[in-house]
Amino acid sequence: MKHLTRADLWSLEEYAEQRPGFRARVMEHKQTRQLGLGDNARLYFEDVLTIKYQVQEMLRIEKVFEADGINEELEAYNPLIPDGHNWKATFMLEFEDPEQRAERLAQLVGIEDQVWLRVDGYGKIYPFADEDMDRDNQEKTSSVHFLRFELTPVMIAALQSGAGLSAGIEHSAYFIAAITVPGQIRASLVNDLQAATVN
């Protein structure tokens, strides 16, 4: 997938006009880009559209209109766009009660490394987590992590030929056995992948 440039973005004035329709389109699109893992964990898979929305919203909130500021946001968010041979996801641990959240985040250190995806017929794919910065310490983990799942050419070819996809978590304090990724989400993710060349 291509990275975003300033030419792909609306000005603040243009975005104010476009935002209602664009936001509705993105919210509908996101329904095929998120996967619940139990009651309190969720993967939000990013792509060009979701990242464009995030950038436009940040520019709007911060009222950024100068080139340097726009370029800074693009530099921060472009790495979250998948590259055709991987998936990039925001991994959220969602606990509404603050006390429960603090208790559970202390129990879930390292969970970001234990999330996995698996193409039918192949081994589990574990992510490269939080490549931009560490988001946990010995006492607790963060409620937000950024994950990159790398696929081999044979995995990509298998998915493009109809292979199933599953996901789970192996952390001892939050174990999720294999969940089949629903067809609509699977199709959206396969759409992120370039045609694979298998030697």
Side-chain angles (χ1 to χ4, degrees):
M1 290 188 178
K2 73 181 185 75
H3 281 183
L4 294 168
T5 69
R6 285 169 53 204
D8 297 311
L9 302 174
W10 289 298
S11 69
L12 294 182
E13 293 82 2
E14 289 170 332
Y15 187 55
E17 295 177 2
Q18 298 289 339
R19 185 172 184 261
F22 182 61
R23 187 175 188 280
R25 176 182 160 211
V26 172
M27 292 304 107
E28 181 179 358
H29 177 69
K30 281 188 172 187
Q31 294 305 307
T32 67
R33 305 288 302 179
Q34 56 180 283
L35 179 67
L37 297 169
D39 294 332
N40 304 111
R42 188 170 294 270
L43 285 168
Y44 295 87
F45 292 94
E46 308 294 357
D47 66 1
V48 171
L49 187 62
T50 66
I51 294 303
K52 178 177 179 178
Y53 176 70
Q54 290 188 48
V55 171
Q56 293 279 186
E57 285 293 299
M58 289 302 297
L59 297 177
R60 171 179 173 270
I61 292 165
E62 297 175 359
K63 296 182 171 54
V64 175
F65 59 88
E66 294 179 344
D68 287 349
I70 295 170
N71 287 333
E72 283 182 17
E73 295 294 341
L74 289 171
E75 287 174 13
Y77 281 98
N78 266 328
L80 299 179
I81 298 174
D83 303 307
H85 50 81
N86 53 34
W87 291 313
K88 298 182 181 180
T90 303
F91 176 59
M92 302 281 290
L93 294 166
E94 301 170 336
F95 300 95
E96 290 188 14
D97 180 73
E99 290 185 10
Q100 183 195 23
R101 183 187 311 124
E103 179 182 346
R104 292 294 280 144
L105 292 181
Q107 298 168 351
L108 294 172
V109 173
I111 189 172
E112 67 277 10
D113 298 313
Q114 301 300 317
V115 181
W116 56 266
L117 298 173
R118 182 171 58 204
V119 180
D120 285 359
Y122 298 91
K124 292 176 180 175
I125 308 165
Y126 294 93
F128 295 89
D130 299 328
E131 295 174 287
D132 57 336
M133 61 182 287
D134 287 333
R135 288 189 165 78
D136 62 4
N137 53 45
Q138 293 181 339
E139 284 75 42
K140 69 179 182 68
T141 190
S142 172
S143 59
V144 181
H145 297 275
F146 297 102
L147 310 183
R148 172 170 59 91
F149 296 92
E150 285 291 333
L151 289 85
T152 65
V154 291
M155 291 176 182
I156 293 172
L159 286 165
Q160 291 171 336
S161 297
L165 182 66
S166 56
I169 301 176
E170 290 184 344
H171 197 281
S172 59
Y174 193 96
F175 184 84
I176 300 294
I179 294 173
T180 299
V181 176
Q184 195 176 17
I185 297 172
R186 180 197 166 284
S188 184
L189 294 179
V190 172
N191 193 50
D192 292 349
L193 304 173
Q194 296 172 351
T197 301
V198 181
N199 295 325

